[in-house]
Amino acid sequence: MVVVLLGPPGVGKGTQGARLAEGLGWERLATGDLLRQARREGTALGREAEGFMDKGELVPDDLIVRMMEERLDSLGPEDGVFLDGFPRTRAQAEALERMLPRVGRKVRAVLLFEAPDEVLVKRISGRRHSPDSGRVYNVHFDPPQREGICDETGTPLVHREDDRPETVERRLVVYREQTAPLIAYYAEHEAPLLTVDADRPIDEVQENARRVLTEALEQSEGAQ
Ligand code: AMP
């Protein structure tokens, strides 16, 4: 069972995906998190990816597809999985279609999160993350208890290099040009494309996402 999370940078895919995964006991594979981890560990993948990431560009498809193939292979057969940040291009979506049957899975739904650009820019500018727990905060909407400090680990929070205003603009353009066409791609896919208004408070977005997803999964189970 695979559910793809789609939407522009800053829309809250990470936050919502983490909560959905926790609620359902599913895995969440977030390509951005995996790439940042590879960079911290100084692996060959991390070194190849860093220049693209810091400029707000996409990392080449072949690197991403190889990384995801390995991750999907290592999941247990029963695990449900949310894909967060993958696929991001048509070539990646097609590669995903080719690799899933091999691991006995298929895309059961696509959750599309939407919000206006000015909301995305504000969210991204306030975003801070904990380098060791990976937890993401927002100084405007979801601050930690002590300013600048992770609630879970007590480490100072950091502002992602690619969350700086110069790069955010570019990431939004890249989303529109390379990732948004996947909306039309998945609209024609057998799995339902479910749209969630992400310009709402975090808890409300979560409730709506969970409701539409549960309904769609129940329907697709009923149809089998
Ligand atoms: P994210 O944390 O999802 O915003 O991703 C951060 C950065 O990682 C992106 O701006 C890209 O440079 C890179 N990245 C993440 N996922 C992908 C992907 N599926 N394809 C290409 N690049 C990606």
Side-chain angles (χ1 to χ4, degrees), residues 197-216:
D197 177 7
D199 185 15
R200 311 290 314 157
I202 294 178
D203 290 345
E204 199 176 316
V205 177
Q206 176 66 195
E207 210 179 294
N208 290 338
R210 204 174 285 191
R211 182 172 38 78
V212 291
L213 180 61
T214 314
E215 281 169 10

PDB file of all heavy atoms in Angstrom, residues 197-216:
ATOM      1  N   ASP A 197      -7.175  21.156   1.243  1.00  0.00           N
ATOM      2  CA  ASP A 197      -6.864  22.570   1.408  1.00  0.00           C
ATOM      3  C   ASP A 197      -5.899  22.699   2.588  1.00  0.00           C
ATOM      4  O   ASP A 197      -6.278  22.478   3.734  1.00  0.00           O
ATOM      5  CB  ASP A 197      -8.167  23.340   1.683  1.00  0.00           C
ATOM      6  CG  ASP A 197      -7.900  24.814   1.935  1.00  0.00           C
ATOM      7  OD1 ASP A 197      -6.747  25.258   1.778  1.00  0.00           O
ATOM      8  OD2 ASP A 197      -8.867  25.525   2.291  1.00  0.00           O
ATOM      9  N   ALA A 198      -4.636  23.060   2.273  1.00  0.00           N
ATOM     10  CA  ALA A 198      -3.619  23.117   3.331  1.00  0.00           C
ATOM     11  C   ALA A 198      -3.462  24.526   3.894  1.00  0.00           C
ATOM     12  O   ALA A 198      -2.602  24.766   4.732  1.00  0.00           O
ATOM     13  CB  ALA A 198      -2.278  22.613   2.788  1.00  0.00           C
ATOM     14  N   ASP A 199      -4.315  25.451   3.450  1.00  0.00           N
ATOM     15  CA  ASP A 199      -4.278  26.814   3.995  1.00  0.00           C
ATOM     16  C   ASP A 199      -5.244  26.895   5.180  1.00  0.00           C
ATOM     17  O   ASP A 199      -6.141  27.744   5.226  1.00  0.00           O
ATOM     18  CB  ASP A 199      -4.665  27.805   2.885  1.00  0.00           C
ATOM     19  CG  ASP A 199      -4.526  29.247   3.346  1.00  0.00           C
ATOM     20  OD1 ASP A 199      -3.887  29.483   4.389  1.00  0.00           O
ATOM     21  OD2 ASP A 199      -5.066  30.132   2.653  1.00  0.00           O
ATOM     22  N   ARG A 200      -5.106  25.984   6.096  1.00  0.00           N
ATOM     23  CA  ARG A 200      -5.960  25.872   7.285  1.00  0.00           C
ATOM     24  C   ARG A 200      -5.045  25.530   8.449  1.00  0.00           C
ATOM     25  O   ARG A 200      -3.911  25.107   8.245  1.00  0.00           O
ATOM     26  CB  ARG A 200      -6.985  24.726   7.119  1.00  0.00           C
ATOM     27  CG  ARG A 200      -7.773  24.689   5.832  1.00  0.00           C
ATOM     28  CD  ARG A 200      -8.783  25.783   5.691  1.00  0.00           C
ATOM     29  NE  ARG A 200      -9.598  25.997   6.871  1.00  0.00           N
ATOM     30  CZ  ARG A 200     -10.224  27.144   7.144  1.00  0.00           C
ATOM     31  NH1 ARG A 200     -10.109  28.172   6.330  1.00  0.00           N
ATOM     32  NH2 ARG A 200     -10.945  27.259   8.232  1.00  0.00           N
ATOM     33  N   PRO A 201      -5.527  25.658   9.699  1.00  0.00           N
ATOM     34  CA  PRO A 201      -4.667  25.273  10.829  1.00  0.00           C
ATOM     35  C   PRO A 201      -4.236  23.794  10.731  1.00  0.00           C
ATOM     36  O   PRO A 201      -4.980  22.963  10.190  1.00  0.00           O
ATOM     37  CB  PRO A 201      -5.570  25.508  12.044  1.00  0.00           C
ATOM     38  CG  PRO A 201      -6.605  26.479  11.573  1.00  0.00           C
ATOM     39  CD  PRO A 201      -6.815  26.201  10.116  1.00  0.00           C
ATOM     40  N   ILE A 202      -3.052  23.515  11.285  1.00  0.00           N
ATOM     41  CA  ILE A 202      -2.445  22.177  11.144  1.00  0.00           C
ATOM     42  C   ILE A 202      -3.410  21.039  11.502  1.00  0.00           C
ATOM     43  O   ILE A 202      -3.534  20.067  10.760  1.00  0.00           O
ATOM     44  CB  ILE A 202      -1.184  22.066  12.044  1.00  0.00           C
ATOM     45  CG1 ILE A 202      -0.091  23.005  11.546  1.00  0.00           C
ATOM     46  CG2 ILE A 202      -0.644  20.628  12.070  1.00  0.00           C
ATOM     47  CD1 ILE A 202       1.180  22.995  12.398  1.00  0.00           C
ATOM     48  N   ASP A 203      -4.128  21.180  12.637  1.00  0.00           N
ATOM     49  CA  ASP A 203      -5.003  20.088  13.084  1.00  0.00           C
ATOM     50  C   ASP A 203      -6.169  19.868  12.118  1.00  0.00           C
ATOM     51  O   ASP A 203      -6.600  18.740  11.897  1.00  0.00           O
ATOM     52  CB  ASP A 203      -5.578  20.381  14.480  1.00  0.00           C
ATOM     53  CG  ASP A 203      -4.489  20.289  15.546  1.00  0.00           C
ATOM     54  OD1 ASP A 203      -3.415  19.737  15.245  1.00  0.00           O
ATOM     55  OD2 ASP A 203      -4.716  20.792  16.659  1.00  0.00           O
ATOM     56  N   GLU A 204      -6.655  20.976  11.567  1.00  0.00           N
ATOM     57  CA  GLU A 204      -7.787  20.861  10.645  1.00  0.00           C
ATOM     58  C   GLU A 204      -7.342  20.183   9.334  1.00  0.00           C
ATOM     59  O   GLU A 204      -8.064  19.342   8.787  1.00  0.00           O
ATOM     60  CB  GLU A 204      -8.307  22.269  10.361  1.00  0.00           C
ATOM     61  CG  GLU A 204      -9.708  22.297   9.803  1.00  0.00           C
ATOM     62  CD  GLU A 204     -10.182  23.735   9.638  1.00  0.00           C
ATOM     63  OE1 GLU A 204      -9.973  24.573  10.550  1.00  0.00           O
ATOM     64  OE2 GLU A 204     -10.752  24.020   8.563  1.00  0.00           O
ATOM     65  N   VAL A 205      -6.164  20.559   8.856  1.00  0.00           N
ATOM     66  CA  VAL A 205      -5.642  19.928   7.630  1.00  0.00           C
ATOM     67  C   VAL A 205      -5.498  18.423   7.872  1.00  0.00           C
ATOM     68  O   VAL A 205      -5.879  17.590   7.051  1.00  0.00           O
ATOM     69  CB  VAL A 205      -4.272  20.532   7.217  1.00  0.00           C
ATOM     70  CG1 VAL A 205      -3.723  19.815   5.984  1.00  0.00           C
ATOM     71  CG2 VAL A 205      -4.394  22.026   6.952  1.00  0.00           C
ATOM     72  N   GLN A 206      -4.981  18.085   9.059  1.00  0.00           N
ATOM     73  CA  GLN A 206      -4.758  16.677   9.380  1.00  0.00           C
ATOM     74  C   GLN A 206      -6.075  15.907   9.395  1.00  0.00           C
ATOM     75  O   GLN A 206      -6.191  14.813   8.840  1.00  0.00           O
ATOM     76  CB  GLN A 206      -4.055  16.565  10.745  1.00  0.00           C
ATOM     77  CG  GLN A 206      -3.839  15.162  11.250  1.00  0.00           C
ATOM     78  CD  GLN A 206      -2.859  14.367  10.395  1.00  0.00           C
ATOM     79  OE1 GLN A 206      -2.785  13.155  10.499  1.00  0.00           O
ATOM     80  NE2 GLN A 206      -2.104  14.999   9.534  1.00  0.00           N
ATOM     81  N   GLU A 207      -7.076  16.526  10.014  1.00  0.00           N
ATOM     82  CA  GLU A 207      -8.374  15.853  10.107  1.00  0.00           C
ATOM     83  C   GLU A 207      -8.945  15.608   8.711  1.00  0.00           C
ATOM     84  O   GLU A 207      -9.427  14.513   8.409  1.00  0.00           O
ATOM     85  CB  GLU A 207      -9.304  16.781  10.887  1.00  0.00           C
ATOM     86  CG  GLU A 207     -10.352  16.074  11.675  1.00  0.00           C
ATOM     87  CD  GLU A 207     -11.181  17.110  12.415  1.00  0.00           C
ATOM     88  OE1 GLU A 207     -10.611  17.782  13.308  1.00  0.00           O
ATOM     89  OE2 GLU A 207     -12.369  17.248  12.064  1.00  0.00           O
ATOM     90  N   ASN A 208      -8.863  16.643   7.859  1.00  0.00           N
ATOM     91  CA  ASN A 208      -9.406  16.501   6.503  1.00  0.00           C
ATOM     92  C   ASN A 208      -8.617  15.468   5.697  1.00  0.00           C
ATOM     93  O   ASN A 208      -9.205  14.653   4.983  1.00  0.00           O
ATOM     94  CB  ASN A 208      -9.379  17.847   5.770  1.00  0.00           C
ATOM     95  CG  ASN A 208     -10.389  18.808   6.364  1.00  0.00           C
ATOM     96  OD1 ASN A 208     -11.352  18.376   7.001  1.00  0.00           O
ATOM     97  ND2 ASN A 208     -10.169  20.090   6.204  1.00  0.00           N
ATOM     98  N   ALA A 209      -7.292  15.509   5.836  1.00  0.00           N
ATOM     99  CA  ALA A 209      -6.456  14.566   5.081  1.00  0.00           C
ATOM    100  C   ALA A 209      -6.796  13.142   5.501  1.00  0.00           C
ATOM    101  O   ALA A 209      -6.959  12.239   4.674  1.00  0.00           O
ATOM    102  CB  ALA A 209      -4.979  14.868   5.321  1.00  0.00           C
ATOM    103  N   ARG A 210      -6.916  12.945   6.806  1.00  0.00           N
ATOM    104  CA  ARG A 210      -7.184  11.598   7.314  1.00  0.00           C
ATOM    105  C   ARG A 210      -8.552  11.101   6.837  1.00  0.00           C
ATOM    106  O   ARG A 210      -8.698   9.954   6.434  1.00  0.00           O
ATOM    107  CB  ARG A 210      -7.152  11.641   8.841  1.00  0.00           C
ATOM    108  CG  ARG A 210      -6.839  10.309   9.439  1.00  0.00           C
ATOM    109  CD  ARG A 210      -6.660  10.389  10.911  1.00  0.00           C
ATOM    110  NE  ARG A 210      -5.389  10.990  11.288  1.00  0.00           N
ATOM    111  CZ  ARG A 210      -4.917  10.977  12.525  1.00  0.00           C
ATOM    112  NH1 ARG A 210      -5.608  10.423  13.488  1.00  0.00           N
ATOM    113  NH2 ARG A 210      -3.763  11.515  12.809  1.00  0.00           N
ATOM    114  N   ARG A 211      -9.519  12.019   6.842  1.00  0.00           N
ATOM    115  CA  ARG A 211     -10.869  11.621   6.429  1.00  0.00           C
ATOM    116  C   ARG A 211     -10.912  11.222   4.952  1.00  0.00           C
ATOM    117  O   ARG A 211     -11.367  10.135   4.609  1.00  0.00           O
ATOM    118  CB  ARG A 211     -11.848  12.766   6.711  1.00  0.00           C
ATOM    119  CG  ARG A 211     -13.291  12.435   6.361  1.00  0.00           C
ATOM    120  CD  ARG A 211     -14.261  13.509   6.837  1.00  0.00           C
ATOM    121  NE  ARG A 211     -13.724  14.851   6.682  1.00  0.00           N
ATOM    122  CZ  ARG A 211     -13.663  15.530   5.537  1.00  0.00           C
ATOM    123  NH1 ARG A 211     -14.150  15.014   4.453  1.00  0.00           N
ATOM    124  NH2 ARG A 211     -13.124  16.737   5.474  1.00  0.00           N
ATOM    125  N   VAL A 212     -10.381  12.098   4.074  1.00  0.00           N
ATOM    126  CA  VAL A 212     -10.468  11.764   2.640  1.00  0.00           C
ATOM    127  C   VAL A 212      -9.658  10.509   2.316  1.00  0.00           C
ATOM    128  O   VAL A 212     -10.079   9.685   1.499  1.00  0.00           O
ATOM    129  CB  VAL A 212     -10.042  12.926   1.700  1.00  0.00           C
ATOM    130  CG1 VAL A 212     -11.039  14.056   1.733  1.00  0.00           C
ATOM    131  CG2 VAL A 212      -8.646  13.421   1.950  1.00  0.00           C
ATOM    132  N   LEU A 213      -8.533  10.365   2.994  1.00  0.00           N
ATOM    133  CA  LEU A 213      -7.698   9.186   2.714  1.00  0.00           C
ATOM    134  C   LEU A 213      -8.384   7.903   3.189  1.00  0.00           C
ATOM    135  O   LEU A 213      -8.439   6.910   2.456  1.00  0.00           O
ATOM    136  CB  LEU A 213      -6.327   9.357   3.380  1.00  0.00           C
ATOM    137  CG  LEU A 213      -5.364   8.203   3.155  1.00  0.00           C
ATOM    138  CD1 LEU A 213      -5.064   8.014   1.671  1.00  0.00           C
ATOM    139  CD2 LEU A 213      -4.045   8.424   3.911  1.00  0.00           C
ATOM    140  N   THR A 214      -8.921   7.942   4.407  1.00  0.00           N
ATOM    141  CA  THR A 214      -9.575   6.737   4.934  1.00  0.00           C
ATOM    142  C   THR A 214     -10.743   6.329   4.037  1.00  0.00           C
ATOM    143  O   THR A 214     -10.912   5.150   3.714  1.00  0.00           O
ATOM    144  CB  THR A 214     -10.092   6.990   6.375  1.00  0.00           C
ATOM    145  OG1 THR A 214      -9.064   7.629   7.089  1.00  0.00           O
ATOM    146  CG2 THR A 214     -10.470   5.713   7.074  1.00  0.00           C
ATOM    147  N   GLU A 215     -11.521   7.332   3.613  1.00  0.00           N
ATOM    148  CA  GLU A 215     -12.666   7.016   2.738  1.00  0.00           C
ATOM    149  C   GLU A 215     -12.184   6.367   1.439  1.00  0.00           C
ATOM    150  O   GLU A 215     -12.738   5.365   0.984  1.00  0.00           O
ATOM    151  CB  GLU A 215     -13.443   8.294   2.392  1.00  0.00           C
ATOM    152  CG  GLU A 215     -14.355   8.742   3.524  1.00  0.00           C
ATOM    153  CD  GLU A 215     -14.920  10.145   3.288  1.00  0.00           C
ATOM    154  OE1 GLU A 215     -14.769  10.706   2.169  1.00  0.00           O
ATOM    155  OE2 GLU A 215     -15.506  10.685   4.241  1.00  0.00           O
ATOM    156  N   ALA A 216     -11.137   6.956   0.856  1.00  0.00           N
ATOM    157  CA  ALA A 216     -10.649   6.429  -0.431  1.00  0.00           C
ATOM    158  C   ALA A 216     -10.091   5.014  -0.257  1.00  0.00           C
ATOM    159  O   ALA A 216     -10.319   4.143  -1.100  1.00  0.00           O
ATOM    160  CB  ALA A 216      -9.579   7.355  -1.008  1.00  0.00           C
TER     161      ALA A 216
END
